Amino acid sequence: RITSAPSGRSRSFVNRHPRSAERKAFCLAMVIVVAAAAPVAQEAAPPVATAAGIAPATALRTFQLAKPADLLIQEAAGPTPTTPPRPPTATESLRTMIGVGYVQGADWGSEIMAGGAIGGTQVQLNTLITSGREGLRFDHGSLSLFDPDARWRVEAGDVYSQLRGASAGGRVSWAAPGNRRPAIAIYGPRRGTPARATVVSYRDQVQLRGQTLLDAEVASDKSYLLRSRLGVSHLDLEAFYRSQRAPVASRDASLSGGLTLWRGLGVAGGVFGSVQAGERSDWRMVSVRVPVARFLDLTLERAFAGTRDSSSTTSAVMGSLTAGNLRLFHRFQQGEYDFARNGFAGTLERQQTQSMSSYSRGPRLNLTLQLATQRTETGQVQHWEELQTTLKLSRTTTVRAVTAVPDLRRRDRLQAYLRQDLPYRLALQADYGRISAFQSIPRELDRSRLKVMLFKTLDIATPARGAEVSGRVLDYAGRGVAGARVKLGPYSVDSDRQGGYVFKHVPRGQFDLSLDQTLLPADFAWDGKGQRVTVTGARALWADLRVTPLNAIHGRVYVDRNQNSHFDAGEAVGGVVIRIGDHFTATDGGGSYSFYNLWPASYVIRLHSAPAEFQIASEERTVTLLDGAPVTGADFRLRETVKPIVWESRSR
């Protein structure tokens, strides 16, 4: 007989058929097995607390436990490697190439090239000095110094001016209020140019939003220049006027512009006039660019040029094609040339074609072919064919040649370059062709020459210049926080014991100042409120960053058996799962639980589940965590489940 009393009553089941005895015995065995396994299931998966009571566990549940703060501190202080800080470099580099070797027409020569910065000032140097039968000679060279902070520039040696052209001298320019850029220069005759007097000039530029409103220069010989360039939307305009007194009196003016209409379709044109020694010349041009396809465009051009006794009218069509590594350009020009000199007048028809093609095969090979042909009515035909070849034979060997085609052996048209990189940053470089006249060689100024140099490359460390950005990492009470990783753009440093940090030699620019949240002390967090720092010079900047201490919530879960409303010994309940948001923890044997590394805020603490023998008196509570101290006493009380006594009565 098997009895069950779910509600205090007894019910009897009597075996009335012998064949069902085995069946009853089997059922009895299954009941015993299930009863024995029930405690194990309850221990593996605590039932879920609901408002109605305790629901029986039907499956295993998983939860996350917040890592205690002491473990996080141990990990931070342990041997786990971290990325070292990366402060701005305290030095800059001046890359210098010094070459010594043979120069045809001289006994020897030395070439010096340098580029880089010294104390924040940008330096560019290129010079060639030769020694021959004329003695030690400065052949050519230029030096440029530019301060990006103060915006001044100094140039010396070979300088170029739109007023005087190529000259030898020096120029100083600087930034001035009102978007102005004044400059004072001295220009003298450059070697190889017509002799002319040395002059002093003053130049001033007025710029606004990238537009050159006015560019003017006046020299001590009463020469002057005016220029303006404006760009609005798809329209560009430039006006130019120049008056020179030496070497001959001349005046010239021009006006040009371009307009982009639609999808690459553009129109350009210009007019130019010049008066020199009583002779006047004019030039006018208009062109239309038509994009035919993504890789092909055509340009139609019409030009007119005229002087007092001659004029020419030219029509041209140009096309350019780009297909992968292959580029093609072709120009066909046809026109008439009218002249009248010494009582003789005539008209000549001219045709000229010019083609250029280039092909690149990766970084090792580049071929550029240029062809030009000119035919006149007299039957005279002139051809120009030139092939430029650049070949990188190996990682250390580069060859470049400019040759006439098809006659590759013409020495007067040959220009060659060879560079062989050697160990220890040495390089052997040879140039052959119509290079600059290193020494004055009478009657041989146009012949090809040879230059062979052995170069040594040096990276010279120079002092860096920049701003100093410093500050402190502070908590809510103004106390310094040590060991915080501070980031300034690509740079980073760690705060010291007082929470101070400093970035030295910060270059000009804009940088984001922030904290690395992965490299903060374990008991602090950053709210993500960074700063935008603008560095414009060598001045010092101060900026503080603040962090918030992370704190904890502590509490207990107990059964108030003596009804005194607080925890006493022997009332602890272990194994109760507590939840805050997506974080879970469980009470230990003493009924205690803790949540660590929490931001200051209000939190809702919930009882997630409890052992089956307890009922939840209150499911949740709200606590407010400040940044000054942890919350304690966030306790929960449970009630023991009262099980009914079931009496069994036997009926006969």
Side-chain angles (χ1 to χ4, degrees):
R1 181 182 300 173
I2 303 173
T3 63
S4 65
S7 60
R9 298 189 302 270
S10 64
R11 184 173 299 176
S12 299
F13 298 88
V14 181
N15 184 10
R16 297 185 183 275
H17 301 283
R19 293 187 59 182
S20 63
E22 296 179 358
R23 192 176 304 165
K24 303 295 187 189
F26 176 76
C27 293
L28 178 61
M30 291 300 296
V31 171
I32 295 174
V33 171
V34 172
V40 177
Q42 287 184 357
E43 182 179 354
V48 180
T50 64
I54 304 299
T58 58
L60 293 176
R61 304 178 66 87
T62 61
F63 56 89
Q64 299 177 350
L65 299 179
K67 185 176 291 186
D70 54 347
L71 293 180
L72 294 175
I73 294 175
Q74 292 176 7
E75 290 178 357
T80 304
T82 59
T83 304
R86 182 177 176 266
T89 179
T91 60
E92 294 178 313
S93 177
L94 181 67
R95 176 157 293 186
T96 305
M97 294 178 60
I98 302 175
V100 178
Y102 167 75
V103 177
Q104 189 172 0
D107 295 333
W108 63 274
S110 177
E111 191 169 6
I112 303 175
M113 294 173 285
I118 301 177
T121 302
Q122 299 176 6
V123 179
Q124 293 291 332
L125 173 65
N126 187 352
T127 183
L128 175 65
I129 300 173
T130 62
S131 177
R133 54 191 175 203
E134 296 183 1
L136 191 65
R137 192 178 189 90
F138 174 81
D139 185 83
H140 70 269
S142 61
L143 172 65
S144 173
L145 304 176
F146 175 65
D147 189 316
D149 296 327
R151 306 296 296 173
W152 57 259
R153 184 186 297 272
V154 175
E155 300 168 272
D158 295 330
V159 294
Y160 178 81
S161 165
Q162 288 186 326
L163 179 61
R164 298 278 293 188
S167 305
R171 180 165 50 215
V172 178
S173 61
W174 63 95
N179 297 310
R180 294 174 46 236
R181 188 163 186 82
I184 296 177
I186 179 170
Y187 301 123
R190 189 170 179 265
R191 184 170 174 262
T193 61
R196 52 185 177 178
T198 300
V199 299
V200 178
S201 76
Y202 173 78
R203 180 182 180 183
D204 206 341
Q205 292 177 289
V206 180
Q207 296 181 339
L208 180 63
R209 297 180 180 178
Q211 308 293 326
T212 303
L213 302 181
L214 179 63
D215 185 357
E217 185 173 9
V218 57
S220 57
D221 64 349
K222 298 183 180 180
S223 300
Y224 63 91
L225 173 145
L226 299 173
R227 187 176 73 95
S228 179
R229 183 171 185 176
L230 301 176
V232 290
S233 186
H234 301 286
L235 177 64
D236 290 320
L237 292 174
E238 181 173 357
F240 179 91
Y241 182 83
R242 176 174 54 191
S243 175
Q244 287 185 310
R245 298 299 180 95
V248 294
S250 64
R251 298 190 309 273
D252 49 74
S254 67
L255 176 65
S256 60
L259 176 63
T260 302
L261 299 175
W262 174 73
R263 292 191 176 182
L265 179 65
V267 179
V271 294
F272 174 82
S274 176
V275 177
Q276 180 175 333
E279 294 287 338
R280 180 179 179 84
S281 60
D282 297 287
W283 176 85
R284 298 185 297 273
M285 185 274 294
V286 62
S287 66
V288 179
R289 179 180 180 271
V290 181
V292 179
R294 182 177 58 86
F295 53 86
L296 175 64
D297 63 75
L298 296 176
T299 301
L300 306 177
E301 181 183 286
R302 179 76 170 174
F304 169 83
T307 63
R308 185 178 62 178
D309 52 9
S310 66
S311 65
S312 64
T313 304
T314 305
S315 299
V317 58
M318 294 165 282
S320 60
L321 173 67
T322 302
N325 295 329
L326 179 64
R327 296 182 179 181
L328 301 175
F329 172 82
H330 182 78
R331 174 187 173 98
F332 174 76
Q333 178 176 305
Q334 183 175 3
E336 295 181 349
Y337 176 71
D338 299 325
F339 63 93
R341 293 194 185 106
N342 301 323
F344 180 79
T347 300
L348 297 177
E349 291 187 358
R350 290 181 174 179
Q351 291 182 357
Q352 181 177 338
T353 60
Q354 182 178 357
S355 300
M356 185 189 72
S357 63
S358 66
Y359 176 75
S360 299
R361 183 63 178 175
R364 288 187 174 272
L365 176 63
N366 180 272
L367 299 174
T368 301
L369 177 64
Q370 297 190 43
L371 307 174
T373 303
Q374 179 174 327
R375 298 177 177 88
T376 65
E377 199 175 57
T378 61
Q380 183 181 6
V381 179
Q382 291 182 320
H383 296 280
W384 296 270
E385 302 90 7
E386 188 175 82
L387 177 65
Q388 300 179 9
T389 305
T390 302
L391 177 62
K392 196 169 182 62
L393 298 176
S394 66
R395 187 175 58 86
T396 59
T397 306
T398 302
V399 177
R400 184 167 57 246
V402 179
T403 57
V405 289
D407 189 3
L408 303 179
R409 296 175 297 176
R410 289 185 56 178
R411 296 181 58 183
D412 61 327
R413 298 284 302 277
L414 174 64
Q415 297 182 30
Y417 166 88
L418 170 65
R419 181 180 175 90
Q420 175 65 53
D421 293 330
L422 303 172
Y424 305 104
R425 306 190 72 180
L426 294 171
L428 182 64
Q429 182 172 312
D431 295 272
Y432 176 82
R434 295 187 178 186
I435 52 182
S436 62
F438 304 111
Q439 291 282 330
S440 296
I441 304 175
R443 301 175 186 175
E444 296 182 353
L445 293 178
D446 293 331
R447 78 177 186 90
S448 298
R449 296 173 178 81
L450 176 66
K451 180 181 69 171
V452 181
M453 291 279 181
L454 179 64
F455 284 95
K456 171 67 175 179
T457 301
L458 303 171
D459 285 331
I460 303 175
T462 59
R465 181 186 61 182
E468 180 178 294
V469 180
S470 58
R472 297 183 68 195
V473 180
L474 306 172
D475 64 6
Y476 72 101
R479 297 185 295 261
V481 177
R485 178 65 55 86
V486 184
K487 298 193 300 182
L488 183 68
Y491 311 113
S492 60
V493 294
D494 292 336
S495 59
D496 56 23
R497 293 183 178 181
Q498 289 74 37
Y501 72 89
V502 58
F503 292 92
K504 296 182 178 180
H505 312 293
V506 181
R508 58 183 296 110
Q510 289 188 333
F511 303 92
D512 290 323
L513 180 64
S514 61
L515 292 175
D516 191 337
Q517 302 190 62
T518 63
L519 295 176
L520 282 176
D523 50 349
F524 289 95
W526 182 53
D527 58 5
K529 296 180 180 179
Q531 301 183 39
R532 188 73 168 172
V533 177
T534 301
V535 178
T536 57
R539 63 190 183 93
L541 301 175
W542 183 274
D544 291 338
L545 294 169
R546 295 189 177 273
V547 296
T548 300
L550 296 178
N551 251 311
I553 297 176
H554 306 284
R556 282 192 176 93
V557 179
Y558 64 97
V559 176
D560 192 10
R561 293 190 175 91
N562 56 8
Q563 301 297 317
N564 61 355
S565 299
H566 62 80
F567 172 76
D568 295 308
E571 296 180 342
V573 179
V576 179
V577 178
I578 312 294
R579 174 182 179 181
I580 294 181
D582 295 331
H583 298 280
F584 295 80
T585 188
T587 57
D588 56 19
S592 299
Y593 74 90
S594 297
F595 287 95
Y596 296 93
N597 302 325
L598 298 177
W599 286 75
S602 294
Y603 293 93
V604 178
I605 311 172
R606 293 182 174 87
L607 282 179
H608 187 71
S609 61
E613 61 268 26
F614 298 100
Q615 291 182 344
I616 300 176
S618 58
E619 288 186 353
E620 65 180 42
R621 62 178 300 172
T622 301
V623 298
T624 299
L625 180 63
L626 303 177
D627 55 6
V631 170
T632 59
D635 299 342
F636 288 91
R637 287 182 292 173
L638 301 181
R639 292 194 300 266
E640 292 180 300
T641 302
V642 179
K643 298 182 178 179
I645 300 175
V646 179
W647 299 93
E648 180 182 356
S649 62
R650 296 188 179 184
S651 59
R652 295 185 181 271

